[in-house]
Amino acid sequence: MLNALEIGTVVIVGLMVGVELSVAFVINRILDGLPGDAGQLGRAHGGRMLGALMPFWYLGSLALSAVWAATAWRDPGTGLVVTAAALLIVSVVMSLLLLVPINNRAKTWTAESRPADWKEQSNRWDRYHYVRVAIIVAAFVLLTAAR
């Protein structure tokens, strides 16, 4: 049973990392290259879509990591799982304090309603997101090493 939990956790966190890497280095770059308002409108749509999904993914990944750590408490590698869970906690707190407030504003923007500093806010979100991606990649590497 522990083996299935370990594999499931690594797969779920790995998929989350893949999505977030894609957002950071592919999707947002594509959207930024679109003409006119298309990129900003695409980001708003992505913020609504992924904003509804990602909280469950982040919290689910954290919960799976915590269950793994608790279940395998005396096993070798548990320290790596605990550290990975701590990094996932940091990513959730960072999301709530830094990224979600920007995303909540940005997902409602239209060409007519966006603020004058919308590009600065989008760039700030991107910078925070790069840090969050680095944190969850580190958590994924630790989980994989603990496996």
Side-chain angles (χ1 to χ4, degrees), residues 11 17 21 27 39 45 53-54 65 73 111 134 140 142-143 147:
V11 168
V17 165
L21 279 168
I27 295 171
H45 180 65
L53 172 66
M54 296 316 284
S65 299
W73 187 249
F140 175 64
L142 292 171
L143 291 171
R147 174 70 180 89

Side-chain angles (χ1 to χ4, degrees), residues 68-142:
W68 177 358
T71 305
W73 187 249
R74 298 190 190 276
D75 293 349
T78 301
L80 297 174
V81 178
V82 170
T83 304
L87 288 172
L88 291 173
I89 290 170
V90 169
S91 75
V92 168
V93 170
M94 182 181 180
S95 296
L96 292 172
L97 296 178
L98 301 173
L99 288 114
V100 168
I102 297 170
N103 190 61
N104 283 344
R105 289 189 302 271
K107 69 185 182 183
T108 66
W109 294 340
T110 65
E112 297 79 31
S113 70
R114 67 182 177 219
D117 70 338
W118 73 271
K119 284 187 181 183
E120 291 87 14
Q121 290 189 54
S122 293
N123 289 336
R124 187 175 324 120
W125 188 93
D126 287 344
R127 287 190 305 274
Y128 292 149
H129 184 65
Y130 294 143
V131 173
R132 180 175 62 178
V133 167
I135 290 167
I136 64 173
V137 166
F140 175 64
V141 168
L142 292 171

Side-chain angles (χ1 to χ4, degrees), residues 2 4-13 56-72 81 85 88 143:
L2 182 57
L5 174 63
E6 293 169 351
I7 292 169
T9 303
V10 168
V11 168
I12 296 296
V13 173
F56 298 104
W57 212 337
Y58 273 83
L59 294 174
S61 295
L62 174 58
L64 287 169
S65 299
V67 170
W68 177 358
T71 305
V81 178
L88 291 173
L143 291 171

